[in-house]
Amino acid sequence: MNDLGNLVQQTADRLAGRQVGVVVAGLVRDTVEIRGAGRTGPGPAGGRPGPDTLFEIGSVTKVFTSLALARLSLAGTVGLDEPLADVLAGALPAGVAVPARGGEPIVLRHLSIHTSGLPRLPAGMLLPSLLTPNKPDPYAHCTPEWLLASLGRTKVRAVPGRSFRYSNLGAGLLGLALAHRAGTDYAGLVRREVCEPLGLADTVLAPDAEQAARLAPGHTGGGRPVPGWNLAGLAGAGGLKSTAADLALFLRAQLAAGTDDGSPLGPAVALTREVRHRVNPFAWMHLGWLGRRLHPRQGGHLQLWHNGGTGGSRSFAAFDPEKQVGVIVLANTRRSVDTPGVELLRTLQTTHG
């Protein structure tokens, strides 16, 4: 096993001590190593997870939604600064309007970089963390129709475009709006704009029977099984399932942006990074991705990243386009995988970049 493979396996083994099952991928330029550890569930029914094991990826879905926005923007189907109300024209229930504040409308880029001023969740919804572990999908009732109708009860908390306020509602509305304008549903939108061009066969909203057999069931931090989430009308905020193998291909496309590799998504990936909104002195938002530059004493490295979580799964994806390295961590328990993922990325930036 090479050095990269050793580092990836060490991270997987470390995580397996407190997760149910985990898969870790490390990327260094054109080299990818993927390792699994633990089991997808207790007893003989749980097998060792691997590159083709599907996991709920939660909010990592948002970078797919934002890349679809970039693709449709370059095609002229939508505009980054087109008002959400215009894109949803014909889809809103009678008498319901997209809220605004300070005379400023919510535009599509606001939804991707979390500056819409919309609340984190639709009006009247509890945070999933407040629900009991065995609660069925807390988003199941959030059909597209219900979600759009909820806009009539939604208040914008800040003037759109001014400040960063993380919003699953905003990302979900972005997915709905893009699909509506493109004449499809969210699953069809992501498949056409992102997955098919990159050859991602296992990144889906609803797994087929064969994929469902490879889906790692979610668990609580204590290892108890929990129902999966599909997020219904909020799918664009966190509904995708994927594999480490697919996400490695996705990160390779991110690393290749700006090169002459001829990637079909190269221009769209580049556009996602042209948009930049400062979150604080140390971090910013691109379309979909969070960014940060480490202090010079920490190496001064660039890190673009997103994490995700559902009722029983966690995900982390990060990369450095300057050093050409990346990391993916997928686990089927609600315990965070961020810290080991960041540590592996920093190791790759230092030793392989």
Side-chain angles (χ1 to χ4, degrees), residues 22-341:
V22 62
V23 179
V24 179
L27 296 84
V28 177
R29 291 176 286 278
D30 293 330
T31 301
V32 179
E33 293 286 350
I34 303 176
R35 299 287 187 272
R39 302 179 69 80
T40 57
R48 186 183 183 92
D52 298 323
T53 302
L54 278 81
F55 292 82
E56 294 180 343
I57 65 172
S59 287
V60 173
T61 299
K62 292 179 174 69
V63 299
F64 285 80
T65 304
S66 292
L67 188 53
L69 167 62
R71 286 268 288 176
L72 293 182
S73 176
L74 290 174
T77 305
V78 299
L80 292 182
D81 294 313
E82 187 172 1
L84 174 63
D86 292 353
V87 183
L88 287 175
L92 292 169
V96 173
V98 175
R101 182 163 178 164
E104 293 293 330
I106 297 170
V107 303
L108 297 187
R109 81 165 67 217
H110 296 157
L111 301 172
S112 178
I113 60 176
H114 300 285
T115 60
S116 67
L118 289 168
R120 189 179 186 97
L121 292 170
M125 274 198 69
L126 288 174
L127 284 171
S129 61
L130 301 177
L131 302 174
T132 56
N134 61 349
K135 179 79 174 178
D137 184 353
Y139 296 99
H141 70 285
C142 296
T143 64
E145 296 76 18
W146 182 92
L147 189 63
L148 294 176
S150 77
L151 289 176
R153 308 184 299 275
T154 299
K155 296 185 182 301
V156 176
R157 310 292 179 82
V159 175
R162 296 277 182 88
S163 57
F164 176 85
R165 298 176 66 95
Y166 191 86
S167 175
N168 283 325
L169 172 59
L173 288 170
L174 178 60
L176 275 182
L178 295 177
H180 175 68
R181 177 60 64 84
T184 184
D185 56 14
Y186 180 75
L189 173 77
V190 171
R191 182 172 58 249
R192 185 182 74 193
E193 299 298 332
V194 180
C195 296
E196 289 180 351
L198 292 179
L200 309 184
D202 282 329
T203 300
V204 295
L205 196 61
D208 61 25
E210 189 277 330
Q211 291 167 328
R214 293 187 277 121
L215 178 64
H219 295 78
T220 66
R224 288 178 294 165
V226 294
W229 290 359
N230 63 36
L231 279 83
L234 284 167
L240 289 176
K241 288 82 175 172
S242 191
T243 65
D246 265 16
L247 292 177
L249 288 173
F250 186 77
L251 280 199
R252 289 187 69 175
Q254 298 289 329
L255 293 174
T259 66
D260 296 326
D261 74 329
S263 169
L265 297 188
V269 172
L271 177 58
T272 64
R273 293 192 212 149
E274 290 173 12
V275 176
R276 183 179 173 120
H277 177 84
R278 178 65 62 178
V279 174
N280 60 46
F282 310 101
W284 62 89
M285 275 295 308
H286 291 304
L287 291 180
W289 292 103
L290 291 135
R292 61 192 171 206
R293 175 75 68 175
L294 299 183
H295 190 278
R297 288 196 297 268
Q298 297 174 304
H301 301 304
L302 172 64
Q303 296 180 344
L304 303 182
W305 65 282
H306 212 297
N307 60 4
T310 64
S313 298
R314 287 293 181 268
S315 60
F316 178 80
F319 63 101
D320 178 349
E322 296 174 348
K323 295 293 186 177
Q324 289 289 290
V325 297
V327 166
I328 297 151
V329 184
L330 302 174
N332 63 330
T333 185
R334 63 174 56 178
R335 290 174 174 165
S336 174
V337 297
D338 293 9
T339 297

